[in-house]
Amino acid sequence: MSEQDYILEMRGITKIYPNGFVANKDVNLAVREGEIHALVGENGAGKSTLMKVLFGVESHEEGEIRLKGQPVRISDPISAIDMGIGMVHQHFMLVPSLTVAENIVLGREPKRYKTLLDMEKAVKDTEELCGKYNLSVDARARIDSLPVGQKQKVEILKALYRKAKILILDEPTAVLTPQETAELFVELKRMREAGHTIIFISHKLNEVKELCDRVTVLRLGRTVGTADLKSLSEQAISRMMVGRDVILKIEKEKASPGQEVLSVRELSLNSNDGRPIIRNVNFSVRSGEILGVAGVEGNGQRELSEIITGLRPFSRGEIRIEGNSIEKKTVKEIRRMGVSHISEDRMTYGVAAGAGIRENVISDRFDQPEYCRRGFLQRGAIDRLTKRLIEEFHIKCDDGNQPVRMLSGGNMQKVVAAREFSLAPRLSIVNQPTRGIDVGATEFVRNKIVELRDGGTAVLLISADLNEILELSDSLIVMHGGEIVAYLGDSSQVTEEELGEYMLGIRRQNPEEIRRACHECEAN
């Protein structure tokens, strides 16, 4: 194929950070005009760095970028936008207090009298853009009032308003329901038909297969290869990514639950202005059981995990762990009750990024006699623990002194899992355990969660990944509007579509159905 057939070529791209870390080494990417091209690889494989180079966020030491066969220099994101390249980041870059139209035109506002925002023109331009691409969003709605699926559309519209012909989408379905994902895919295919070129970054290989035309795989900062997706299975893609066979389906025995470990009764939480966030929530988790919590983000799941782990007070209700109330207990006291916690925000609550692996794995037990005597840390015992956990959890690092911030996302998550799972907790609160990590690390963390369950731990699993929550959970509750709208006693009998309807509020069980299902499950 001649270079004229490619709208974008990145040739021999090498990016070395000041600390000597080689993020990209001689990477090649060639994308055809009017195709959806997948970019996949493990965390730390160099995908994000490569796209930052393309979007002008990072510079590169070697190599060249060509657009329509001509070499270009992209010095910053403004240059990239001027060349028709747009990027939709995994974490939305929207101003919550502004309207949809105001966010879309931000920085390129239509003006009245040369200085004032022409709001009516902004709304009109937004509505015309929505109509052109069939991306239906209320131009006058405030961003903070929109569900995540609508926010995703606004991000895409922002790029299209700036006349992007090449659109980079970084994990665009990470927080979407199946219905929202299906709708997004229809819209992306329409954009492809209209002549747009899309680079699609995702860890969800089933979505890559469904949506994309071709795939480029990166591993350890280098290009493994590019292939037509019609000729590749998900297993073959994962083998290219990881360098070995990956089991994409979790195999687990049927649960044999024991005694109740966590009991939540009539739990409610109000915001500072009195708005209900969690409303009269009731459920329990038994030893040797994984109870999944499904729901579109922002429906109370995060607050629920923070309440149980002591990070947030609650307005009303009762929470007991093995019969003991957690009311007025500190985070440390709750942890001493046998509770571990993987937070959805690993950078804030999961790790001290500037500290080493050793400090991170010892942070919850440094005051225990085995590791501290007469006020002095026992370095030998700490080193042995760190070495054992690095080996057991397959953490890729130089040694236990390496700062956590220097690890890939998947290896950061393994550090968190190593600390939280290594004390054989009675109850484990696991929130978005594999978000943003690659297929190899995902397989490892999910298997560790099943090992916990099989060892008798009660697991409360909160995840926006429906495949994950259906495969790992023994039973499920679904939250919508801060309430439990469904209790599903056997997750193996639930489809993604059915679960998505409960999550979106299209379906709901009546309160008596939920109570009866809970009681039947607790009685078994």
Side-chain angles (χ1 to χ4, degrees), residues 36-327:
I36 302 179
H37 193 107
L39 182 63
V40 303
E42 292 189 274
N43 279 97
K47 307 183 301 295
S48 295
T49 301
L50 187 67
M51 290 301 97
K52 285 178 181 177
V53 169
L54 177 58
F55 196 55
V57 176
E58 299 279 6
S59 59
H60 54 290
E61 280 66 42
E62 296 176 16
E64 70 170 356
I65 300 171
R66 287 176 170 256
L67 292 177
K68 294 187 175 179
Q70 299 301 311
V72 295
R73 181 175 177 273
I74 304 174
S75 55
D76 52 44
I78 293 174
S79 302
I81 291 166
D82 289 342
M83 293 178 196
I85 301 169
M87 185 166 183
V88 176
H89 299 270
Q90 183 176 352
H91 302 290
F92 300 143
M93 313 286 269
L94 301 171
V95 183
S97 59
L98 297 183
T99 66
V100 168
E102 287 168 333
N103 270 275
I104 286 172
V105 303
L106 192 61
R108 301 196 174 198
E109 300 90 343
K111 295 291 194 339
R112 287 188 302 134
Y113 311 117
K114 297 185 178 180
T115 56
L116 299 176
L117 168 65
D118 188 341
M119 189 61 191
E120 291 309 310
K121 180 75 163 57
V123 169
K124 183 173 180 290
D125 288 350
T126 299
E127 289 174 344
E128 287 178 355
L129 200 62
C130 289
K132 179 179 178 181
Y133 291 100
N134 200 37
L135 291 162
S136 179
V137 189
D138 181 356
R140 298 182 187 273
R142 274 176 49 131
I143 294 296
D144 56 12
S145 71
L146 298 179
V148 289
Q150 295 276 294
K151 290 176 183 175
Q152 184 72 264
K153 291 180 183 179
V154 177
E155 284 282 18
I156 294 171
L157 288 164
K158 263 177 59 181
L160 294 173
Y161 180 76
R162 287 154 181 76
K163 303 191 183 309
K165 294 299 289 181
I166 299 172
L167 192 60
I168 305 162
L169 300 181
D170 188 1
E171 297 285 349
T173 67
V175 294
L176 302 184
T177 65
Q179 288 85 348
E180 289 170 325
T181 297
E183 185 180 340
L184 175 65
F185 283 8
V186 168
E187 290 150 357
L188 293 180
K189 288 171 182 175
R190 278 202 191 100
M191 288 171 58
R192 175 178 61 189
E193 290 163 7
H196 291 276
T197 301
I198 298 167
I199 301 173
F200 185 82
I201 303 172
S202 180
H203 289 116
K204 299 179 180 180
L205 300 187
N206 61 320
E207 294 183 355
V208 167
K209 280 282 292 177
E210 178 186 346
L211 177 69
C212 302
D213 303 299
R214 294 190 304 141
V215 61
T216 294
V217 181
L218 301 186
R219 185 166 79 230
L220 300 175
R222 295 175 180 266
T223 308
V224 176
T226 297
D228 191 314
L229 277 161
K230 290 178 182 176
S231 64
L232 285 182
S233 65
E234 289 180 38
Q235 196 71 46
I237 301 168
S238 65
R239 193 181 304 120
M240 290 173 71
M241 289 169 59
V242 181
R244 61 178 175 83
D245 284 331
V246 175
I247 300 171
L248 298 173
K249 186 171 178 62
I250 298 297
E251 298 294 337
K252 62 183 175 69
E253 300 292 328
K254 188 173 176 61
S256 300
Q259 297 296 311
E260 180 181 86
V261 175
L262 172 66
S263 171
V264 176
R265 295 290 177 263
E266 299 299 325
L267 181 68
S268 294
L269 172 69
N270 294 331
S271 64
N272 292 334
D273 60 5
R275 180 175 55 85
I277 299 173
I278 296 177
R279 296 188 278 191
N280 301 321
V281 163
N282 294 274
F283 66 90
S284 62
V285 192
R286 298 165 293 179
S287 63
E289 171 185 50
I290 300 174
L291 176 68
V293 182
V296 175
E297 289 202 26
N299 280 275
Q301 309 94 299
R302 177 175 183 165
E303 290 81 1
L304 179 64
S305 69
E306 291 179 351
I307 288 170
I308 296 169
T309 54
L311 291 170
R312 182 190 290 263
F314 52 98
S315 306
R316 183 171 59 84
E318 181 181 67
I319 300 173
R320 291 186 176 272
I321 296 171
E322 295 189 314
N324 301 304
S325 173
I326 70 165
E327 190 173 5

Side-chain angles (χ1 to χ4, degrees), residues 367-416:
D367 56 349
Q368 293 180 7
E370 184 179 354
Y371 305 108
C372 184
R373 292 178 194 161
R374 298 175 184 172
F376 292 94
L377 292 174
Q378 302 300 295
R379 188 173 182 86
I382 294 171
D383 286 345
R384 285 191 294 275
L385 171 71
T386 304
K387 185 173 185 294
R388 175 172 67 82
L389 293 181
I390 287 172
E391 291 174 355
E392 182 182 339
F393 284 79
H394 306 302
I395 299 166
K396 295 178 184 175
C397 61
D398 296 334
D399 54 40
N401 294 313
Q402 186 170 357
V404 169
R405 62 181 169 77
M406 298 301 296
L407 302 177
S408 70
N411 283 295
M412 277 189 197
Q413 194 72 334
K414 286 181 179 180
V415 170
V416 177

